Amino acid sequence: MHALEKILASHAGVDTLQTGEILNCDIDIAGANDLYLQSVYSFYEMGGEQVTNPDNIVFFMDHYAPASSKKQALNQKEFREFAAKQGIEKLMDIDEGVCHQVLVDRGLSKPGTIIVITDSHTTMHGAFGAFSTGVGATDHAIIMKTGKLWFRVPKIVKIELNGKLAKGVYAKDIILDVIGKLGADYAVYKAVEFSGSLIAELSMSERLAICNMTTEMGAKASYIQPDKVTLDYLLNLGVTDFTVYETDEGYEYEEVVTFDVSDIQPTIAVPFSVDNVDELEAYIGTPINQVFLGTCTGGRIEDLEVAAKILAGKKVKKGTRMLVIPASKKVLQEAITKGYMSTLVEAGATFVTPGCAACLGTHQGIITDGEACVSSASRNFPGRMGATQAKIYLASPAVVAASAIEGKLADPRKYMEV
């Protein structure tokens, strides 16, 4: 059995399983963000009265942080009232940040658990060795009522990442390259495991970025086998209550694909699809109106550090806007302590409340028709950041920072120390 299958089996109370089998599993963490008030309504429509395991339920006020309309404010108000009534103490209000990073910061993302959130990028927590996936409002309501949810056991593919990264190449470049070569529908309802010699060299932040974007391959879940990097990170958070599962020797994957990351150069996804990928070099000089650094994909402290080092002593190009959205309050606090916020503000960046911001496409930095933005976020579909005729380029935080200086897509390596 694969480690992911063992997680599902343990939570379903069975010893064996088969690919494609339906299992009803206990859920460790069930989160809902402020887009999904329907979860509360559905809970009552199903006859729910008292949430089964309120300690396992988390509400996140992250997509509308803070609310910018009466409807958004009402959503959040009703969530707060429901949480108070049901004894749900894990309500992460508008000051906390993006749901996924908040779970990481609070030590709630850990090996051997099942984590579901009403957000497609929940696959991110596979970086810790969890089975994690996005769900809908009615799914979340069922969990609040019963503590359980059904899953179909997915096929599992393995992507081996071998070699050494070149200067100026990051996790974002890796996952864009993988998605570009395999396609946006490669892993539909499959779990994707990442292994290979590179993994041991990647920080948790970089692993999270890679697993986060498996959603853009259609993946049901992602997985990286917990190792010393994982365990040290969790120990630093004071987290020790978890189980690490191992994949049985000889397990047969649906497919194994190998990448030599040594060949990867700074990479970009161009409008209007995440798998429309090319090397950055082909688009150098493309005019940019806005740069966007943040979200659950590219708004961790390491991402802000990369940008701050590139922008130190420099200025954002006149006529270009730079938005910085820390993934969480903890990230923001650390950016203040380490001086990254000061460096970026002095360069001309505008900081936005930790949360989803313009990645949602409704507020806090949306762009209009005819404008272009380079973003460290995860998607570049038409209308993703507002107007359907606006263009979004996806790239690493380094490319975002370099492009801010030049007001056009730029190679970050020229701004890096040798």
Side-chain angles (χ1 to χ4, degrees):
M1 289 172 69
H2 191 276
L4 284 174
E5 295 175 336
K6 292 180 180 181
I7 294 171
L8 290 172
S10 69
H11 285 69
V14 300
D15 295 324
T16 61
L17 50 71
Q18 299 292 325
T19 299
E21 183 178 351
I22 303 296
L23 297 177
N24 204 32
C25 298
D26 294 326
I27 306 301
D28 296 297
I29 293 290
N33 62 48
D34 47 357
L35 291 177
Y36 287 88
L37 185 60
Q38 182 60 47
S39 173
V40 172
Y41 297 160
S42 294
F43 172 77
Y44 287 125
E45 289 165 1
M46 294 174 183
E49 295 181 1
Q50 177 60 49
V51 170
T52 299
N53 295 312
D55 285 347
N56 295 358
I57 305 301
V58 191
F59 292 146
F60 304 96
M61 307 298 103
D62 60 350
H63 281 60
Y64 302 142
S68 59
S69 72
K70 290 185 289 185
K71 174 59 177 172
Q72 293 172 8
L74 180 59
N75 270 27
Q76 293 177 349
K77 177 176 179 288
E78 292 191 37
F79 265 120
R80 295 182 187 110
E81 291 172 346
F82 180 80
K85 180 179 179 180
Q86 294 289 335
I88 296 170
E89 296 185 0
K90 295 185 182 74
L91 185 139
M92 312 304 177
D93 221 312
I94 61 170
D95 61 322
E96 291 290 345
V98 183
C99 55
H100 306 303
Q101 189 61 35
V102 173
L103 287 189
V104 171
D105 292 347
R106 289 179 173 250
L108 296 172
S109 180
K110 50 193 176 184
T113 57
I114 295 183
I115 299 171
V116 299
I117 306 175
T118 58
D119 187 276
S120 59
H121 291 101
T122 307
T123 55
M124 185 181 96
H125 304 279
F128 281 100
F131 183 96
S132 56
T133 193
V135 296
T138 51
D139 299 315
H140 188 268
I142 289 169
I143 297 167
M144 289 199 293
K145 190 171 189 296
T146 69
K148 298 176 179 290
L149 188 66
W150 68 269
F151 298 96
R152 177 160 58 89
V153 179
K155 297 177 181 178
I156 303 175
V157 299
K158 180 160 73 170
I159 297 176
E160 294 186 346
L161 303 173
N162 298 316
K164 295 285 186 180
L165 293 180
K167 174 185 174 182
V169 177
Y170 298 88
K172 186 65 169 287
D173 301 293
I174 297 168
I175 191 61
L176 286 177
D177 183 76
V178 169
I179 294 171
K181 289 186 168 84
L182 297 181
D185 60 353
Y186 170 76
V188 172
Y189 215 97
K190 296 177 183 178
V192 178
E193 177 185 351
F194 293 96
S195 66
S197 62
L198 177 70
I199 296 299
E201 307 298 320
L202 295 178
S203 68
M204 283 309 305
S205 177
E206 293 285 81
R207 297 177 187 196
L208 289 164
I210 288 174
C211 289
N212 178 286
M213 288 196 64
T214 55
T215 299
E216 311 312 327
M217 304 166 64
K220 181 66 176 178
S222 71
Y223 187 77
I224 293 177
Q225 182 63 38
D227 60 6
K228 186 177 186 303
V229 173
T230 320
L231 301 182
D232 286 350
Y233 189 96
L234 291 167
L235 184 61
N236 188 54
L237 291 173
V239 179
T240 57
D241 58 331
F242 54 81
T243 301
V244 174
Y245 292 90
E246 302 274 352
T247 298
D248 294 337
E249 186 175 349
Y251 176 82
E252 293 188 13
Y253 292 86
E254 172 75 10
E255 185 176 12
V256 178
V257 185
T258 301
F259 287 82
D260 182 355
V261 300
S262 306
D263 299 330
I264 297 177
Q265 298 298 308
T267 302
I268 192 166
V270 302
F272 289 100
S273 174
V274 181
D275 62 354
N276 189 13
V277 171
D278 204 342
E279 289 188 359
L280 171 68
E281 184 178 8
Y283 289 84
I284 292 292
T286 301
I288 294 295
N289 304 98
Q290 178 170 290
V291 303
F292 184 92
L293 176 66
T295 76
C296 57
T297 309
R300 280 171 281 280
I301 192 63
E302 291 89 341
D303 303 314
L304 272 61
E305 178 184 12
V306 167
K309 286 182 176 179
I310 289 173
L311 279 155
K314 302 177 182 65
K315 295 292 183 183
V316 174
K317 181 77 170 181
K318 185 176 182 180
T320 301
R321 311 180 297 274
M322 180 176 188
L323 300 184
V324 180
I325 304 89
S328 69
K329 178 166 65 176
K330 182 179 178 181
V331 172
L332 174 60
Q333 290 171 324
E334 196 168 348
I336 293 170
T337 300
K338 293 186 173 181
Y340 304 151
M341 184 176 188
S342 178
T343 296
L344 293 169
V345 169
E346 288 174 5
T350 297
F351 269 69
V352 177
T353 306
C356 299
C359 184
L360 177 64
T362 63
H363 65 162
Q364 294 181 317
I366 60 176
I367 52 179
T368 192
D369 289 330
E371 289 193 313
C373 176
V374 59
S375 170
S376 67
S378 56
R379 288 177 172 160
N380 63 346
F381 310 138
R384 178 65 184 182
M385 292 183 70
T388 57
Q389 298 303 309
K391 294 182 177 180
I392 304 169
Y393 299 85
L394 303 178
S396 74
V399 172
V400 169
S403 301
I405 296 169
E406 299 189 18
K408 56 188 178 183
L409 292 178
D411 192 327
R413 292 172 292 189
K414 69 174 77 172
Y415 298 104
M416 296 179 174
E417 296 179 2
V418 178

